[in-house]
Amino acid sequence: MQLAHDSIRRPVPQTSTQVRRPSHRERDRFVGFAFAAADLLIETDAKGTILFSAGARCRLTEGDVAGLVGSSLLDVVAPNDRKYVTVLFKRIQDKGRIKPARVVFQGCDGNRFPALLGGCRLDSCPGSLFLTVLLASGPRNTNEALAAAGQLLDGNAFSHILEDRILKAREKGLDNALTLLLIDGLQSMVDALPEGAASEVMQGIEAYLRAISANGDSAGQLATDRYGIVHASDIDGQEVQDHITQIIQSVGGELPGGIRTWSLDVSDERLDPADAARALVYTVQAFASARAASSPSPAWRTAPSACCPTRWTASAGCARPSRSATSSWFTSPSSTSGRGPSTIWRR
């Protein structure tokens, strides 16, 4: 005899191998969020070939955006920004996600325009990059015009934007940092390289520094061998050194000096934002005007005291893996050998 409860249909417990499929409503919700944050959605492979596109034409094509499929995204990027965008692709693959960065695109009418390019990758879709394009206003001043033209800011322009970046970081609660970079002997190495290799090194360094900078427009060349970058605080000096070393080694370059970085968390709130910004501008200007790593100017020796509320982390390296270097804050700036941890300057 069949028992009554045997006929009752019992729910089958969900096993770990069963994955709940998203409903149409959930899919629509995510699509809505995506278009709320961007004008154009693009999926590419690791090299930038477009696999899918949806949204506004954004002046990139005269027809439907689906017509972009099969072409390379780099084809609609301004020539000066193509190496920079290639670095952005690599950072998405390495980091999983990048915040929107300013990129100059070249429209189907031949005119160039700025837009913010963001992106991420998903473990569930290996080999694909998911990108967003948000149209941006044109350059509002000379500083942005330089960045929009695919160039690093010069020393004066970087000093001008530094205060603005620090104040905005405090207002928005962004975890940003300032890194000062010295590539000792860069010019002499470039002069010794064949023309093509020299250009590859300089373009590679500029593209990388722009790619890691906040918004893609917060990096400057302060002097022949000195740079300043405002960036997210999860980027450390060692990462910067390692990447530049790879750029130099890729063309067979040999740097006669070392690569050194000094980094500071600009989100520290122990000093008034305006005072901190002015102190850091002074520090950057002193760093830019220093004569050489082995003979720093008096201003550069004492400049960190103006930034006393936080600490600078100093580290050093070189472009040849057979050598190592550490450098302390101004006590032995000419040191290019030795072993030990990165040193920290404190008040």
Side-chain angles (χ1 to χ4, degrees):
M1 184 175 68
Q2 185 178 22
L3 298 178
H5 66 266
D6 287 342
S7 62
I8 299 175
R9 181 174 243 172
R10 298 180 183 276
V12 178
Q14 192 174 51
T15 65
S16 59
T17 58
Q18 292 176 312
V19 179
R20 186 178 68 86
R21 295 178 180 273
S23 66
H24 289 296
R25 172 59 178 159
E26 289 174 319
R27 292 176 182 175
D28 291 345
R29 181 181 294 126
F30 285 118
V31 170
F33 287 149
F35 279 112
D39 295 305
L40 178 62
L41 306 178
I42 297 176
E43 177 188 358
T44 74
D45 64 13
K47 295 183 179 180
T49 300
I50 297 174
L51 307 176
F52 171 84
S53 61
R57 289 196 299 266
C58 296
R59 297 161 53 188
L60 298 180
T61 178
E62 294 179 347
D64 191 276
V65 291
L68 294 172
V69 172
S71 63
S72 173
L73 182 64
L74 295 177
D75 291 342
V76 294
V77 172
N80 286 349
D81 267 11
R82 287 173 184 169
K83 182 176 286 292
Y84 159 59
V85 170
T86 299
V87 178
L88 291 179
F89 288 166
K90 183 65 165 59
R91 291 192 62 75
I92 296 173
Q93 296 173 59
D94 293 343
K95 300 292 185 179
R97 178 179 180 270
I98 62 166
K99 293 182 178 180
R102 183 176 288 265
V103 171
V104 179
F105 287 89
Q106 187 159 292
C108 56
D109 57 0
N111 294 320
R112 299 180 182 182
F113 60 93
L116 297 177
L117 179 70
C120 71
R121 62 170 173 79
L122 300 175
D123 292 339
S124 58
C125 300
S128 287
L129 304 180
F130 297 91
L131 310 174
T132 60
V133 177
L134 177 64
L135 293 177
S137 59
R140 293 184 293 275
N141 53 46
T142 302
N143 299 343
E144 290 187 5
L146 282 172
Q151 302 176 31
L152 294 176
L153 302 174
D154 60 24
N156 289 332
F158 184 76
S159 294
H160 290 155
I161 64 102
L162 179 58
E163 184 171 355
D164 176 69
R165 295 294 185 271
I166 293 172
L167 293 175
K168 286 184 177 179
R170 292 286 187 89
E171 291 173 1
K172 298 180 179 180
L174 303 176
D175 291 329
N176 281 353
L178 166 67
T179 290
L180 301 180
L181 167 68
L182 169 64
I183 310 177
D184 196 9
L186 174 64
Q187 190 59 53
S188 60
M189 181 201 69
V190 168
D191 291 342
L193 289 172
E195 184 177 348
S199 176
E200 186 71 18
V201 166
M202 296 307 297
Q203 290 178 12
I205 291 174
E206 292 179 6
Y208 171 70
L209 296 182
R210 287 183 62 204
I212 66 172
S213 73
N215 302 326
D217 59 2
S218 303
Q221 184 168 11
L222 311 177
T224 303
D225 55 0
R226 296 164 190 266
Y227 299 84
I229 315 101
V230 178
H231 55 79
S233 58
D234 62 348
I235 298 171
D236 60 27
Q238 191 60 54
E239 175 185 341
V240 175
Q241 292 176 23
D242 291 345
H243 195 96
I244 292 177
T245 296
Q246 292 173 12
I247 293 172
I248 292 172
Q249 291 177 340
S250 68
V251 298
E254 188 171 304
L255 193 65
I259 301 175
R260 297 174 185 150
T261 57
W262 293 268
S263 298
L264 174 69
D265 181 359
V266 300
S267 63
D268 192 295
E269 298 181 352
R270 285 174 284 178
L271 188 68
D272 177 79
D275 291 340
R278 285 191 292 270
L280 288 175
V281 168
Y282 171 77
T283 302
V284 168
Q285 291 173 342
F287 174 71
S289 62
R291 291 188 296 275
S294 60
S295 180
S297 68
W300 177 228
R301 291 173 192 245
T302 59
S305 64
C307 307
C308 57
T310 55
R311 68 185 188 180
W312 289 81
T313 301
S315 59
C318 66
R320 288 171 289 182
S322 59
R323 300 175 59 192
S324 62
T326 58
S327 172
S328 61
W329 241 147
F330 309 155
T331 55
S332 57
S334 61
S335 172
T336 56
S337 63
R339 300 180 64 183
S342 299
T343 57
I344 297 176
W345 181 89
R346 297 176 183 270
R347 183 182 179 182

